[in-house]
Amino acid sequence: MKIALMDSGIGLLPAAAAVRRLRPDAELVLSWDPDGMPWGPRTPEDITQRAIAVADAAAAHRPDVLIVACNTASVHSLPQMRARFEPGLPIIGTVPAIKPAAAGGGHVAIWATPATTGSAYQRGLIEQFADGVTVTEVPCPGLADAVHHADEAAVDAAVAAAAARTPDDVTTVVLGCTNYELVADRIRAAVQKPGMPPLMLHGSAGAVAAQALRRIGAVATPDAEAATGLTVLLSGREADLPATALSYPEGRLLQAARTLR
């Protein structure tokens, strides 16, 4: 089994690590775009062009399924990607986990990139799944880029700025960019208010990984013998996992099974 994941940057690591935990025997192809990231400030047309190029690089390795582990690309480019690759290559998108967050009630904040915040797609999800629930959209400029570069000071500054835009009575935060899952603990610490119930965080990595397996008729086998195949593509060029990826536990988990080339 070979599963590919794509993103503008290392935000694909949480979903890739989730796949690795569910199916240690799966070979992984990780394709991202250091030459073009961040995608958030780009136009929808430009995002789609970059996303298809990154997907093409992954598809050349003949995976069984491709996870678009990027909220921005999923919001703007899924129809075009599905038209290009399906049915031969199933495409699994990543959308903000608004439905499970809203099901818990309370005030929900959606942290996302400026490109996703306020998009018609995200607004549609809110209308569909959070009717009657108080929802605040919180743009997080610079956070995805800071996480990608493992810039500790920039991450702290971007998280603090977004936390300041988050209402005090929020009980649940949707991590509407896959990069944010890599710094979930910092987000929790910044938003949690003294005396309030423990903050709920909703990411998408686990759900996306499970959906990819369902789509190809596979089941979770966490005790399977680990595969060692891991292909990393940086703007189409085969490479090692960058040092910034190894700054996070998810990156180190993937590196541990890397085939030495």
Side-chain angles (χ1 to χ4, degrees), residues 4-9 12 28-35 53-63 230-242 258 261:
L5 301 96
M6 58 149 289
D7 190 4
S8 60
L12 53 69
L28 300 180
V29 178
L30 311 183
S31 183
W32 69 81
D33 186 30
D35 292 357
V54 172
D56 274 335
H61 289 260
R62 302 181 64 82
L230 176 65
T231 300
V232 178
L233 304 170
L234 304 181
S235 297
R237 304 179 298 272
E238 192 161 342
D240 294 322
L241 272 171
R258 176 81 198 258
R261 296 181 182 275

Side-chain angles (χ1 to χ4, degrees), residues 30-77:
L30 311 183
S31 183
W32 69 81
D33 186 30
D35 292 357
M37 67 86 56
W39 288 353
R42 294 178 176 273
T43 66
E45 294 77 18
D46 200 12
I47 291 168
T48 297
Q49 182 179 14
R50 304 295 308 191
I52 287 177
V54 172
D56 274 335
H61 289 260
R62 302 181 64 82
D64 298 298
V65 62
L66 173 63
I67 297 172
V68 183
C70 175
N71 294 89
T72 297
S74 296
V75 163
H76 295 290
S77 311

